[in-house]
Short mmCIF file of all heavy atoms in Angstrom, two decimals:
data_model
loop_
_atom_site.label_atom_id
_atom_site.label_comp_id
_atom_site.label_asym_id
_atom_site.label_seq_id
_atom_site.Cartn_x
_atom_site.Cartn_y
_atom_site.Cartn_z
N LYS C 1 52.96 7.00 -34.41
CA LYS C 1 53.24 5.62 -34.09
C LYS C 1 52.10 5.04 -33.23
O LYS C 1 51.51 5.78 -32.39
CB LYS C 1 54.55 5.49 -33.29
CG LYS C 1 55.76 5.97 -34.14
CD LYS C 1 57.08 5.93 -33.36
CE LYS C 1 57.59 4.56 -33.18
NZ LYS C 1 58.39 4.01 -34.32
N LYS C 2 51.79 3.79 -33.45
CA LYS C 2 50.72 3.14 -32.69
C LYS C 2 51.20 1.72 -32.32
O LYS C 2 51.59 0.94 -33.16
CB LYS C 2 49.45 3.05 -33.51
CG LYS C 2 48.28 2.45 -32.70
CD LYS C 2 46.97 2.59 -33.45
CE LYS C 2 45.85 2.08 -32.53
NZ LYS C 2 44.54 2.26 -33.15
N LEU C 3 51.15 1.44 -31.02
CA LEU C 3 51.51 0.16 -30.49
C LEU C 3 50.22 -0.67 -30.33
O LEU C 3 49.40 -0.40 -29.46
CB LEU C 3 52.21 0.29 -29.13
CG LEU C 3 52.77 -0.96 -28.53
CD1 LEU C 3 53.90 -1.57 -29.39
CD2 LEU C 3 53.28 -0.71 -27.12
N VAL C 4 50.04 -1.64 -31.24
CA VAL C 4 48.85 -2.49 -31.19
C VAL C 4 49.08 -3.57 -30.18
O VAL C 4 48.19 -3.84 -29.37
CB VAL C 4 48.64 -3.10 -32.60
CG1 VAL C 4 47.43 -4.08 -32.56
CG2 VAL C 4 48.39 -1.99 -33.67
N ASP C 5 50.24 -4.16 -30.14
CA ASP C 5 50.62 -5.16 -29.17
C ASP C 5 52.16 -5.24 -29.17
O ASP C 5 52.82 -4.63 -29.97
CB ASP C 5 49.95 -6.53 -29.42
CG ASP C 5 50.30 -7.10 -30.78
OD1 ASP C 5 51.48 -7.10 -31.16
OD2 ASP C 5 49.39 -7.60 -31.46
N ARG C 6 52.71 -6.05 -28.28
CA ARG C 6 54.17 -6.19 -28.16
C ARG C 6 54.61 -7.41 -28.91
O ARG C 6 55.37 -8.23 -28.37
CB ARG C 6 54.59 -6.24 -26.69
CG ARG C 6 54.33 -4.90 -26.03
CD ARG C 6 55.38 -4.55 -24.98
NE ARG C 6 55.16 -3.25 -24.46
CZ ARG C 6 55.66 -2.12 -24.96
NH1 ARG C 6 56.47 -2.20 -26.02
NH2 ARG C 6 55.42 -0.97 -24.43
N SER C 7 54.21 -7.53 -30.17
CA SER C 7 54.67 -8.61 -31.02
C SER C 7 55.54 -8.00 -32.12
O SER C 7 55.59 -6.78 -32.30
CB SER C 7 53.50 -9.37 -31.62
OG SER C 7 52.85 -8.57 -32.57
N LEU C 8 56.15 -8.85 -32.94
CA LEU C 8 56.94 -8.37 -34.07
C LEU C 8 56.14 -7.46 -35.01
O LEU C 8 56.65 -6.47 -35.51
CB LEU C 8 57.53 -9.54 -34.82
CG LEU C 8 58.40 -9.20 -36.03
CD1 LEU C 8 59.61 -8.38 -35.65
CD2 LEU C 8 58.82 -10.46 -36.78
N TYR C 9 54.88 -7.76 -35.18
CA TYR C 9 54.03 -6.98 -36.11
C TYR C 9 53.16 -5.96 -35.37
O TYR C 9 52.23 -5.43 -35.98
CB TYR C 9 53.16 -7.95 -36.91
CG TYR C 9 53.95 -8.87 -37.80
CD1 TYR C 9 54.41 -10.09 -37.38
CD2 TYR C 9 54.34 -8.42 -39.08
CE1 TYR C 9 55.15 -10.95 -38.20
CE2 TYR C 9 55.10 -9.26 -39.89
CZ TYR C 9 55.51 -10.50 -39.45
OH TYR C 9 56.25 -11.29 -40.26
N GLY C 10 53.48 -5.69 -34.13
CA GLY C 10 52.57 -4.90 -33.30
C GLY C 10 52.72 -3.38 -33.32
O GLY C 10 51.96 -2.69 -32.71
N THR C 11 53.73 -2.85 -34.01
CA THR C 11 53.95 -1.42 -34.05
C THR C 11 53.68 -0.90 -35.45
O THR C 11 54.32 -1.33 -36.43
CB THR C 11 55.37 -1.03 -33.60
OG1 THR C 11 55.61 -1.53 -32.31
CG2 THR C 11 55.52 0.52 -33.59
N LYS C 12 52.73 0.01 -35.59
CA LYS C 12 52.39 0.64 -36.86
C LYS C 12 52.95 2.06 -36.85
O LYS C 12 52.97 2.71 -35.77
CB LYS C 12 50.89 0.71 -37.11
CG LYS C 12 50.20 -0.68 -36.88
CD LYS C 12 50.66 -1.70 -37.85
CE LYS C 12 49.98 -3.04 -37.68
NZ LYS C 12 50.51 -4.09 -38.48
N GLU C 13 53.35 2.57 -38.01
CA GLU C 13 53.92 3.92 -38.03
C GLU C 13 53.73 4.58 -39.38
O GLU C 13 53.63 3.91 -40.40
CB GLU C 13 55.38 3.94 -37.64
CG GLU C 13 56.30 3.16 -38.60
CD GLU C 13 57.74 3.16 -38.17
OE1 GLU C 13 58.07 3.59 -37.09
OE2 GLU C 13 58.56 2.65 -38.95
N ILE C 14 53.69 5.89 -39.31
CA ILE C 14 53.73 6.73 -40.55
C ILE C 14 54.85 7.74 -40.31
O ILE C 14 54.84 8.44 -39.27
CB ILE C 14 52.41 7.45 -40.81
CG1 ILE C 14 51.24 6.48 -40.93
CG2 ILE C 14 52.53 8.37 -42.02
CD1 ILE C 14 49.89 7.11 -40.91
N ASN C 15 55.85 7.78 -41.20
CA ASN C 15 57.01 8.65 -40.99
C ASN C 15 57.10 9.59 -42.21
O ASN C 15 56.89 9.20 -43.31
CB ASN C 15 58.29 7.87 -40.93
CG ASN C 15 58.42 7.02 -39.69
OD1 ASN C 15 58.35 7.55 -38.59
ND2 ASN C 15 58.52 5.74 -39.83
N LEU C 16 57.53 10.82 -41.90
CA LEU C 16 57.91 11.73 -42.97
C LEU C 16 59.06 12.58 -42.51
O LEU C 16 59.23 12.83 -41.31
CB LEU C 16 56.73 12.52 -43.48
CG LEU C 16 56.11 13.54 -42.54
CD1 LEU C 16 56.41 14.95 -43.04
CD2 LEU C 16 54.59 13.36 -42.56
N GLU C 17 59.89 12.96 -43.46
CA GLU C 17 61.03 13.77 -43.13
C GLU C 17 60.62 15.24 -43.20
O GLU C 17 59.90 15.65 -44.12
CB GLU C 17 62.18 13.48 -44.12
CG GLU C 17 63.50 13.98 -43.60
CD GLU C 17 64.64 13.44 -44.44
OE1 GLU C 17 64.59 12.27 -44.90
OE2 GLU C 17 65.64 14.17 -44.61
N VAL C 18 61.05 16.01 -42.21
CA VAL C 18 60.79 17.46 -42.18
C VAL C 18 62.15 18.18 -42.10
O VAL C 18 63.15 17.50 -41.82
CB VAL C 18 59.84 17.88 -41.06
CG1 VAL C 18 58.47 17.27 -41.27
CG2 VAL C 18 60.38 17.45 -39.71
N ASN C 19 62.17 19.45 -42.28
CA ASN C 19 63.50 20.11 -42.35
C ASN C 19 63.85 20.92 -41.13
O ASN C 19 64.92 21.49 -41.08
CB ASN C 19 63.70 20.90 -43.63
CG ASN C 19 62.68 22.08 -43.69
OD1 ASN C 19 62.01 22.35 -42.73
ND2 ASN C 19 62.71 22.78 -44.81
N ASN C 20 62.95 20.98 -40.11
CA ASN C 20 63.24 21.79 -38.95
C ASN C 20 62.55 21.25 -37.71
O ASN C 20 61.35 21.20 -37.68
CB ASN C 20 62.80 23.24 -39.26
CG ASN C 20 63.22 24.21 -38.21
OD1 ASN C 20 62.80 24.13 -37.04
ND2 ASN C 20 64.08 25.14 -38.56
N PHE C 21 63.39 20.86 -36.76
CA PHE C 21 62.84 20.24 -35.55
C PHE C 21 61.89 21.22 -34.76
O PHE C 21 60.74 20.85 -34.50
CB PHE C 21 64.02 19.82 -34.65
CG PHE C 21 63.61 19.18 -33.33
CD1 PHE C 21 63.26 17.86 -33.28
CD2 PHE C 21 63.62 19.92 -32.14
CE1 PHE C 21 62.87 17.26 -32.07
CE2 PHE C 21 63.26 19.34 -30.94
CZ PHE C 21 62.91 18.01 -30.89
N GLU C 22 62.36 22.38 -34.49
CA GLU C 22 61.52 23.33 -33.70
C GLU C 22 60.29 23.77 -34.44
O GLU C 22 59.23 23.87 -33.84
CB GLU C 22 62.37 24.53 -33.22
CG GLU C 22 63.42 24.23 -32.21
CD GLU C 22 62.89 23.56 -30.92
OE1 GLU C 22 61.73 23.85 -30.53
OE2 GLU C 22 63.64 22.77 -30.31
N GLN C 23 60.43 23.99 -35.74
CA GLN C 23 59.22 24.41 -36.50
C GLN C 23 58.17 23.30 -36.59
O GLN C 23 56.95 23.55 -36.54
CB GLN C 23 59.62 24.87 -37.88
CG GLN C 23 60.33 26.22 -37.88
CD GLN C 23 59.38 27.35 -37.41
OE1 GLN C 23 59.27 27.60 -36.23
NE2 GLN C 23 58.71 27.98 -38.34
N ALA C 24 58.63 22.04 -36.72
CA ALA C 24 57.70 20.93 -36.70
C ALA C 24 56.96 20.84 -35.35
O ALA C 24 55.75 20.63 -35.32
CB ALA C 24 58.41 19.62 -37.00
N CYS C 25 57.70 21.06 -34.27
CA CYS C 25 57.08 21.06 -32.94
C CYS C 25 56.10 22.18 -32.80
O CYS C 25 54.98 22.04 -32.27
CB CYS C 25 58.15 21.14 -31.87
SG CYS C 25 59.22 19.67 -31.78
N ASN C 26 56.49 23.39 -33.32
CA ASN C 26 55.59 24.56 -33.24
C ASN C 26 54.33 24.33 -34.05
O ASN C 26 53.24 24.76 -33.61
CB ASN C 26 56.33 25.81 -33.74
CG ASN C 26 57.41 26.28 -32.78
OD1 ASN C 26 57.39 25.91 -31.60
ND2 ASN C 26 58.36 27.03 -33.26
N LEU C 27 54.45 23.68 -35.16
CA LEU C 27 53.24 23.38 -35.97
C LEU C 27 52.26 22.47 -35.19
O LEU C 27 51.06 22.76 -35.20
CB LEU C 27 53.69 22.60 -37.27
CG LEU C 27 52.53 22.10 -38.13
CD1 LEU C 27 51.84 23.29 -38.83
CD2 LEU C 27 53.03 21.11 -39.14
N LEU C 28 52.80 21.48 -34.51
CA LEU C 28 51.91 20.60 -33.72
C LEU C 28 51.25 21.37 -32.55
O LEU C 28 50.05 21.24 -32.31
CB LEU C 28 52.70 19.42 -33.17
CG LEU C 28 53.15 18.43 -34.24
CD1 LEU C 28 54.14 17.39 -33.68
CD2 LEU C 28 51.98 17.70 -34.87
N LEU C 29 52.06 22.22 -31.88
CA LEU C 29 51.49 23.00 -30.79
C LEU C 29 50.39 23.96 -31.32
O LEU C 29 49.34 24.09 -30.69
CB LEU C 29 52.59 23.80 -30.10
CG LEU C 29 53.60 22.97 -29.33
CD1 LEU C 29 54.80 23.84 -28.89
CD2 LEU C 29 52.94 22.30 -28.09
N ALA C 30 50.65 24.59 -32.46
CA ALA C 30 49.66 25.50 -33.02
C ALA C 30 48.41 24.76 -33.50
O ALA C 30 47.34 25.37 -33.61
CB ALA C 30 50.29 26.28 -34.21
N SER C 31 48.56 23.48 -33.76
CA SER C 31 47.42 22.66 -34.25
C SER C 31 46.63 22.08 -33.09
O SER C 31 45.68 21.30 -33.36
CB SER C 31 47.92 21.53 -35.14
OG SER C 31 48.62 22.06 -36.24
N GLY C 32 46.97 22.41 -31.86
CA GLY C 32 46.16 21.95 -30.75
C GLY C 32 46.74 20.79 -29.96
O GLY C 32 46.13 20.30 -29.02
N PHE C 33 47.90 20.31 -30.34
CA PHE C 33 48.56 19.23 -29.57
C PHE C 33 49.27 19.78 -28.37
O PHE C 33 49.66 20.99 -28.38
CB PHE C 33 49.57 18.47 -30.46
CG PHE C 33 48.93 17.61 -31.51
CD1 PHE C 33 48.64 18.13 -32.78
CD2 PHE C 33 48.56 16.31 -31.23
CE1 PHE C 33 48.09 17.33 -33.73
CE2 PHE C 33 47.96 15.53 -32.24
CZ PHE C 33 47.73 16.07 -33.49
N ASP C 34 49.45 18.99 -27.36
CA ASP C 34 50.26 19.34 -26.19
C ASP C 34 51.58 18.58 -26.25
O ASP C 34 51.60 17.41 -26.66
CB ASP C 34 49.56 18.94 -24.89
CG ASP C 34 48.47 19.90 -24.46
OD1 ASP C 34 48.32 20.96 -25.09
OD2 ASP C 34 47.73 19.55 -23.52
N LEU C 35 52.63 19.25 -25.80
CA LEU C 35 53.93 18.55 -25.64
C LEU C 35 53.81 17.69 -24.38
O LEU C 35 53.53 18.20 -23.29
CB LEU C 35 55.04 19.57 -25.47
CG LEU C 35 56.42 19.00 -25.10
CD1 LEU C 35 56.96 18.08 -26.18
CD2 LEU C 35 57.42 20.14 -24.85
N LYS C 36 54.01 16.40 -24.49
CA LYS C 36 53.86 15.52 -23.38
C LYS C 36 55.22 15.07 -22.81
O LYS C 36 55.32 14.79 -21.61
CB LYS C 36 53.08 14.26 -23.77
CG LYS C 36 51.67 14.54 -24.24
CD LYS C 36 50.81 15.18 -23.16
CE LYS C 36 49.39 15.36 -23.60
NZ LYS C 36 48.53 15.99 -22.58
#
């Protein structure tokens, strides 16, 4: 998600469905992201 501005058209997003919450989080952590 990216907030360009606080207007009706100001939030951009890319969404996809995954099948496991913890595994998706683990994938991001293994890829170098930090949990914020």
Side-chain angles (χ1 to χ4, degrees):
K1 297 178 75 83
K2 183 171 185 176
L3 184 65
V4 177
D5 59 46
R6 293 215 176 269
S7 71
L8 179 61
Y9 295 92
T11 303
K12 308 298 181 188
E13 64 181 6
I14 302 169
N15 291 301
L16 64 112
E17 198 168 324
V18 295
N19 64 5
N20 187 295
F21 179 80
E22 290 303 329
Q23 286 297 86
C25 294
N26 290 339
L27 174 73
L28 292 170
L29 292 170
S31 300
F33 288 91
D34 280 353
L35 172 62
K36 299 299 186 179

